[in-house]
Amino acid sequence: MGYNYSPHSTDEKARQFFSKRGKHLAVTIVIIFLIAVFYATGIAMTSYATYSRNAEQLLNETKANLVILQAEKDVCLASLNYTDNDLKVCQGVLSSKATLLNICGTEKTSLNNSLTNTASSLNACKTEKDSAIQTSRQLVKNSVKAMCCSYGDVQAGSVRNWNIVNNSITCTGSYTVNCSNGETNY
């Protein structure tokens, strides 16, 4: 008899293994697959529920913050409108004050011109007054000798008293005239 060797290939061994234990192995694989699916589904559901709860809580907080921010915005807008109205009033007042300031500047310039003209006129009047006083003094001095001194007083060099009363020269008073040369203390 001879030796009959027939080598088994790995494929054949695998077929024999699966043919003897194939059903058990298939059930085990299905069970492991189902456990993995249920585990993954459980984790996914737990994660989704947690995420959903956190998202809802975050959404509620965001809504509350939005309500607060809306109230703050309304207060800010009211304040802005009030400030804008104040600014408009202030601009109106400023505009009217600027107009008044321009009028005041024009009047000041006019008054300065009038002051300059008045000062010039005053100086002219003072000069004219001083000249008139000098002229009238000279006239009075020249007239006193002729009115209060006689020919004899002029020859004797007498000194006579005189004064101005009611715009007239009188030959009595506190002023004196030297009849020889016409000098007076007036």
Side-chain angles (χ1 to χ4, degrees):
M1 317 212 205
Y3 174 67
N4 214 5
Y5 172 72
S6 110
H8 295 289
S9 71
T10 54
D11 285 339
E12 197 176 307
K13 287 183 184 178
R15 273 188 229 141
Q16 283 178 358
F17 176 77
F18 281 120
S19 67
K20 291 181 187 174
R21 294 183 192 95
K23 290 182 185 177
H24 294 293
L25 189 59
V27 170
T28 303
I29 289 173
V30 169
I31 290 174
I32 289 174
F33 175 75
L34 288 176
I35 288 174
V37 168
F38 286 135
Y39 179 75
T41 303
I43 288 181
M45 293 299 277
T46 303
S47 296
Y48 177 74
T50 302
Y51 170 76
S52 180
R53 195 174 322 123
N54 288 344
E56 186 178 345
Q57 182 179 357
L58 184 61
L59 181 62
N60 289 336
E61 289 173 4
T62 303
K63 283 180 183 178
N65 287 339
L66 282 175
V67 168
I68 291 169
L69 289 174
Q70 182 65 38
E72 289 176 359
K73 178 190 144 208
D74 292 343
V75 168
C76 187
L77 280 176
S79 175
L80 182 62
N81 288 336
Y82 180 76
T83 303
D84 189 43
N85 290 338
D86 278 353
L87 179 63
K88 288 178 183 174
V89 168
C90 185
Q91 285 174 338
V93 169
L94 183 61
S95 177
S96 69
K97 297 298 180 189
T99 302
L100 289 175
L101 186 61
N102 287 339
I103 291 170
C104 185
T106 303
E107 288 178 0
K108 178 186 171 198
T109 302
S110 174
L111 287 174
N112 280 338
N113 291 340
S114 294
L115 178 64
T116 302
N117 292 341
T118 303
S120 296
S121 296
L122 178 63
N123 287 336
C125 285
K126 283 181 181 178
T127 303
E128 192 176 313
K129 174 188 161 197
D130 291 343
S131 175
I133 288 173
Q134 287 299 87
T135 302
S136 75
R137 280 180 175 246
Q138 197 61 36
L139 181 64
V140 168
K141 283 181 182 181
N142 292 337
S143 299
V144 165
K145 180 179 175 186
M147 291 179 72
C148 294
C149 295
S150 66
Y151 181 76
D153 290 336
V154 172
Q155 293 297 321
S158 302
V159 174
R160 297 280 178 212
N161 290 338
W162 68 277
N163 203 353
I164 297 178
V165 177
N166 294 328
N167 293 325
S168 297
I169 297 174
T170 61
C171 293
T172 58
S174 58
Y175 296 115
T176 60
V177 62
N178 183 331
C179 290
S180 65
N181 60 16
E183 288 294 321
T184 180
N185 62 351
Y186 179 67

